[in-house]
Amino acid sequence: MDSAALTLNLTHLRSITGDDNGFVIEILQMIQEQSPEVISNMEVFLEKGDYKALGAVAHKYKSSINVLGNPVLSGMVKEIEQIAIENPDKGQLPDLVHTFRETCDNLLEVIKAELNLLR
């Protein structure tokens, strides 16, 4: 896995929270708690062929992903959204969603370590 996929850049998050460490922790915890369910929903919608719902979930999750400052993950969720909503050829979605899950799972471990440092 690309090492860039496992990085956090909290500069943007710190700027929107006014560098409030407690608020940064709260947002990271929220992402950590919500991510498994969101990704599971993406997989269910993919399996059902409900691409509109898959695109909607990706779109909603995109803002959470963007605050992590991880261009790899941000690019993946944007691509999932675009393919699900706009591209008639959905063939690459299964691999993309699978890779997104693996990347998120690994990044959640990085978030866990970061939270331990921030506390």
Side-chain angles (χ1 to χ4, degrees), residues 2 5 7 10-11 28 31 34 44 46 48 52 58 60 66-67 69 72 85 103 107-108 111 118:
D2 181 2
T7 61
L10 301 180
T11 304
L28 289 176
I31 292 169
Q34 292 177 352
V44 167
L46 175 64
K48 290 180 176 181
K52 184 177 180 179
K60 185 176 177 183
N66 288 341
V67 300
V72 173
I85 293 173
T103 305
L107 194 61
L108 287 173
I111 290 171
L118 291 172

mmCIF file of all heavy atoms in Angstrom, residues 2 5 7 10-11 28 31 34 44 46 48 52 58 60 66-67 69 72 85 103 107-108 111 118:
data_model
loop_
_atom_site.group_PDB
_atom_site.id
_atom_site.type_symbol
_atom_site.label_atom_id
_atom_site.label_comp_id
_atom_site.label_asym_id
_atom_site.label_seq_id
_atom_site.Cartn_x
_atom_site.Cartn_y
_atom_site.Cartn_z
ATOM 1 N N ASP A 2 0.482 2.207 -0.769
ATOM 2 C CA ASP A 2 1.181 3.478 -0.882
ATOM 3 C C ASP A 2 1.249 4.145 0.497
ATOM 4 O O ASP A 2 0.240 4.265 1.185
ATOM 5 C CB ASP A 2 0.406 4.356 -1.870
ATOM 6 C CG ASP A 2 1.024 5.706 -2.107
ATOM 7 O OD1 ASP A 2 2.089 5.997 -1.550
ATOM 8 O OD2 ASP A 2 0.434 6.480 -2.881
ATOM 9 N N ALA A 5 -1.150 6.807 1.485
ATOM 10 C CA ALA A 5 -2.505 6.406 1.879
ATOM 11 C C ALA A 5 -2.640 6.279 3.388
ATOM 12 O O ALA A 5 -3.742 6.206 3.906
ATOM 13 C CB ALA A 5 -2.867 5.083 1.204
ATOM 14 N N THR A 7 -1.247 8.463 5.654
ATOM 15 C CA THR A 7 -0.836 9.702 6.303
ATOM 16 C C THR A 7 -2.040 10.557 6.674
ATOM 17 O O THR A 7 -3.064 10.534 6.005
ATOM 18 C CB THR A 7 0.092 10.533 5.386
ATOM 19 O OG1 THR A 7 -0.611 10.877 4.196
ATOM 20 C CG2 THR A 7 1.355 9.787 5.050
ATOM 21 N N LEU A 10 -3.293 17.085 9.453
ATOM 22 C CA LEU A 10 -4.367 17.723 10.210
ATOM 23 C C LEU A 10 -4.346 19.248 10.139
ATOM 24 O O LEU A 10 -5.059 19.910 10.881
ATOM 25 C CB LEU A 10 -4.311 17.253 11.665
ATOM 26 C CG LEU A 10 -4.446 15.737 11.856
ATOM 27 C CD1 LEU A 10 -4.388 15.384 13.339
ATOM 28 C CD2 LEU A 10 -5.711 15.208 11.218
ATOM 29 N N THR A 11 -3.565 19.801 9.208
ATOM 30 C CA THR A 11 -3.471 21.252 9.070
ATOM 31 C C THR A 11 -4.846 21.863 8.806
ATOM 32 O O THR A 11 -5.241 22.834 9.453
ATOM 33 C CB THR A 11 -2.493 21.626 7.931
ATOM 34 O OG1 THR A 11 -1.231 21.027 8.199
ATOM 35 C CG2 THR A 11 -2.333 23.126 7.807
ATOM 36 N N LEU A 28 -11.951 13.563 15.096
ATOM 37 C CA LEU A 28 -11.282 12.303 14.760
ATOM 38 C C LEU A 28 -12.025 11.104 15.351
ATOM 39 O O LEU A 28 -12.153 10.059 14.692
ATOM 40 C CB LEU A 28 -9.828 12.322 15.236
ATOM 41 C CG LEU A 28 -8.885 13.251 14.474
ATOM 42 C CD1 LEU A 28 -7.503 13.246 15.115
ATOM 43 C CD2 LEU A 28 -8.806 12.883 13.002
ATOM 44 N N ILE A 31 -15.114 10.432 13.206
ATOM 45 C CA ILE A 31 -14.744 9.744 11.966
ATOM 46 C C ILE A 31 -14.429 8.284 12.259
ATOM 47 O O ILE A 31 -14.861 7.383 11.534
ATOM 48 C CB ILE A 31 -13.563 10.458 11.281
ATOM 49 C CG1 ILE A 31 -14.010 11.832 10.761
ATOM 50 C CG2 ILE A 31 -12.985 9.603 10.151
ATOM 51 C CD1 ILE A 31 -12.878 12.731 10.303
ATOM 52 N N GLN A 34 -17.809 6.446 12.959
ATOM 53 C CA GLN A 34 -18.773 6.368 11.865
ATOM 54 C C GLN A 34 -18.253 5.614 10.649
ATOM 55 O O GLN A 34 -19.050 5.062 9.882
ATOM 56 C CB GLN A 34 -19.192 7.771 11.434
ATOM 57 C CG GLN A 34 -19.998 8.495 12.469
ATOM 58 C CD GLN A 34 -20.356 9.907 12.059
ATOM 59 O OE1 GLN A 34 -19.880 10.424 11.045
ATOM 60 N NE2 GLN A 34 -21.189 10.566 12.849
ATOM 61 N N VAL A 44 -22.873 -2.573 0.807
ATOM 62 C CA VAL A 44 -24.243 -3.093 0.639
ATOM 63 C C VAL A 44 -24.881 -2.491 -0.611
ATOM 64 O O VAL A 44 -25.483 -3.204 -1.426
ATOM 65 C CB VAL A 44 -25.097 -2.815 1.894
ATOM 66 C CG1 VAL A 44 -26.580 -3.063 1.624
ATOM 67 C CG2 VAL A 44 -24.614 -3.670 3.063
ATOM 68 N N LEU A 46 -23.377 -1.247 -3.187
ATOM 69 C CA LEU A 46 -22.678 -1.788 -4.350
ATOM 70 C C LEU A 46 -23.217 -3.173 -4.693
ATOM 71 O O LEU A 46 -23.532 -3.460 -5.845
ATOM 72 C CB LEU A 46 -21.169 -1.857 -4.084
ATOM 73 C CG LEU A 46 -20.333 -2.509 -5.182
ATOM 74 C CD1 LEU A 46 -20.388 -1.695 -6.469
ATOM 75 C CD2 LEU A 46 -18.894 -2.677 -4.710
ATOM 76 N N LYS A 48 -26.091 -4.454 -3.987
ATOM 77 C CA LYS A 48 -27.468 -4.362 -4.469
ATOM 78 C C LYS A 48 -27.567 -3.689 -5.844
ATOM 79 O O LYS A 48 -28.642 -3.699 -6.447
ATOM 80 C CB LYS A 48 -28.327 -3.566 -3.480
ATOM 81 C CG LYS A 48 -28.591 -4.267 -2.175
ATOM 82 C CD LYS A 48 -29.455 -3.383 -1.293
ATOM 83 C CE LYS A 48 -29.833 -4.096 -0.016
ATOM 84 N NZ LYS A 48 -30.696 -3.253 0.833
ATOM 85 N N LYS A 52 -27.025 4.955 -7.119
ATOM 86 C CA LYS A 52 -27.418 6.294 -6.662
ATOM 87 C C LYS A 52 -27.161 6.427 -5.157
ATOM 88 O O LYS A 52 -26.600 7.421 -4.699
ATOM 89 C CB LYS A 52 -28.889 6.546 -6.995
ATOM 90 C CG LYS A 52 -29.355 7.926 -6.652
ATOM 91 C CD LYS A 52 -30.795 8.147 -7.080
ATOM 92 C CE LYS A 52 -31.243 9.552 -6.716
ATOM 93 N NZ LYS A 52 -32.625 9.803 -7.130
ATOM 94 N N ALA A 58 -21.027 8.143 -0.613
ATOM 95 C CA ALA A 58 -19.664 8.617 -0.882
ATOM 96 C C ALA A 58 -19.609 10.139 -0.813
ATOM 97 O O ALA A 58 -18.676 10.713 -0.241
ATOM 98 C CB ALA A 58 -19.189 8.113 -2.247
ATOM 99 N N LYS A 60 -21.552 12.204 0.873
ATOM 100 C CA LYS A 60 -21.698 12.648 2.262
ATOM 101 C C LYS A 60 -20.418 12.401 3.066
ATOM 102 O O LYS A 60 -20.013 13.225 3.878
ATOM 103 C CB LYS A 60 -22.875 11.925 2.910
ATOM 104 C CG LYS A 60 -23.191 12.392 4.297
ATOM 105 C CD LYS A 60 -24.416 11.706 4.842
ATOM 106 C CE LYS A 60 -24.672 12.140 6.279
ATOM 107 N NZ LYS A 60 -25.809 11.450 6.865
ATOM 108 N N ASN A 66 -12.081 14.477 3.698
ATOM 109 C CA ASN A 66 -11.259 15.628 3.312
ATOM 110 C C ASN A 66 -10.569 16.299 4.496
ATOM 111 O O ASN A 66 -9.467 16.820 4.350
ATOM 112 C CB ASN A 66 -12.088 16.634 2.524
ATOM 113 C CG ASN A 66 -12.409 16.138 1.127
ATOM 114 O OD1 ASN A 66 -11.755 15.236 0.601
ATOM 115 N ND2 ASN A 66 -13.433 16.705 0.527
ATOM 116 N N VAL A 67 -11.186 16.272 5.684
ATOM 117 C CA VAL A 67 -10.554 16.928 6.837
ATOM 118 C C VAL A 67 -9.321 16.167 7.324
ATOM 119 O O VAL A 67 -8.534 16.698 8.089
ATOM 120 C CB VAL A 67 -11.518 17.165 8.021
ATOM 121 C CG1 VAL A 67 -12.675 18.040 7.617
ATOM 122 C CG2 VAL A 67 -11.968 15.889 8.655
ATOM 123 N N GLY A 69 -6.877 15.285 5.456
ATOM 124 C CA GLY A 69 -5.712 15.718 4.699
ATOM 125 C C GLY A 69 -4.995 14.571 4.011
ATOM 126 O O GLY A 69 -3.776 14.592 3.869
ATOM 127 N N VAL A 72 -4.920 10.569 -1.090
ATOM 128 C CA VAL A 72 -5.226 9.254 -1.671
ATOM 129 C C VAL A 72 -6.669 8.872 -1.363
ATOM 130 O O VAL A 72 -7.452 8.522 -2.250
ATOM 131 C CB VAL A 72 -4.237 8.176 -1.157
ATOM 132 C CG1 VAL A 72 -4.653 6.793 -1.615
ATOM 133 C CG2 VAL A 72 -2.825 8.488 -1.604
ATOM 134 N N ILE A 85 -22.427 7.798 -9.764
ATOM 135 C CA ILE A 85 -23.481 8.710 -10.191
ATOM 136 C C ILE A 85 -23.441 8.989 -11.695
ATOM 137 O O ILE A 85 -24.474 9.015 -12.346
ATOM 138 C CB ILE A 85 -23.402 10.028 -9.393
ATOM 139 C CG1 ILE A 85 -23.737 9.749 -7.924
ATOM 140 C CG2 ILE A 85 -24.338 11.078 -9.962
ATOM 141 C CD1 ILE A 85 -23.526 10.925 -7.004
ATOM 142 N N THR A 103 -7.956 0.685 2.671
ATOM 143 C CA THR A 103 -7.235 1.918 2.982
ATOM 144 C C THR A 103 -7.826 2.580 4.223
ATOM 145 O O THR A 103 -7.090 3.023 5.107
ATOM 146 C CB THR A 103 -7.261 2.875 1.775
ATOM 147 O OG1 THR A 103 -6.744 2.187 0.630
ATOM 148 C CG2 THR A 103 -6.420 4.110 2.035
ATOM 149 N N LEU A 107 -6.058 3.364 7.710
ATOM 150 C CA LEU A 107 -5.985 4.740 8.188
ATOM 151 C C LEU A 107 -6.662 4.895 9.554
ATOM 152 O O LEU A 107 -6.241 5.725 10.363
ATOM 153 C CB LEU A 107 -6.604 5.699 7.171
ATOM 154 C CG LEU A 107 -6.280 7.168 7.414
ATOM 155 C CD1 LEU A 107 -4.771 7.421 7.330
ATOM 156 C CD2 LEU A 107 -7.022 8.048 6.438
ATOM 157 N N LEU A 108 -7.662 4.087 9.833
ATOM 158 C CA LEU A 108 -8.291 4.137 11.158
ATOM 159 C C LEU A 108 -7.307 3.746 12.251
ATOM 160 O O LEU A 108 -7.374 4.264 13.369
ATOM 161 C CB LEU A 108 -9.541 3.252 11.198
ATOM 162 C CG LEU A 108 -10.742 3.797 10.437
ATOM 163 C CD1 LEU A 108 -11.858 2.763 10.394
ATOM 164 C CD2 LEU A 108 -11.226 5.106 11.039
ATOM 165 N N ILE A 111 -5.350 6.857 12.784
ATOM 166 C CA ILE A 111 -6.163 7.794 13.571
ATOM 167 C C ILE A 111 -6.148 7.396 15.044
ATOM 168 O O ILE A 111 -6.014 8.254 15.926
ATOM 169 C CB ILE A 111 -7.602 7.866 13.023
ATOM 170 C CG1 ILE A 111 -7.616 8.561 11.665
ATOM 171 C CG2 ILE A 111 -8.534 8.576 14.008
ATOM 172 C CD1 ILE A 111 -8.946 8.499 10.949
ATOM 173 N N LEU A 118 -2.723 12.698 20.998
ATOM 174 C CA LEU A 118 -3.403 13.984 21.290
ATOM 175 C C LEU A 118 -4.006 14.029 22.687
ATOM 176 O O LEU A 118 -4.206 15.112 23.240
ATOM 177 C CB LEU A 118 -4.512 14.231 20.252
ATOM 178 C CG LEU A 118 -4.050 14.526 18.833
ATOM 179 C CD1 LEU A 118 -5.252 14.548 17.891
ATOM 180 C CD2 LEU A 118 -3.295 15.844 18.784
#
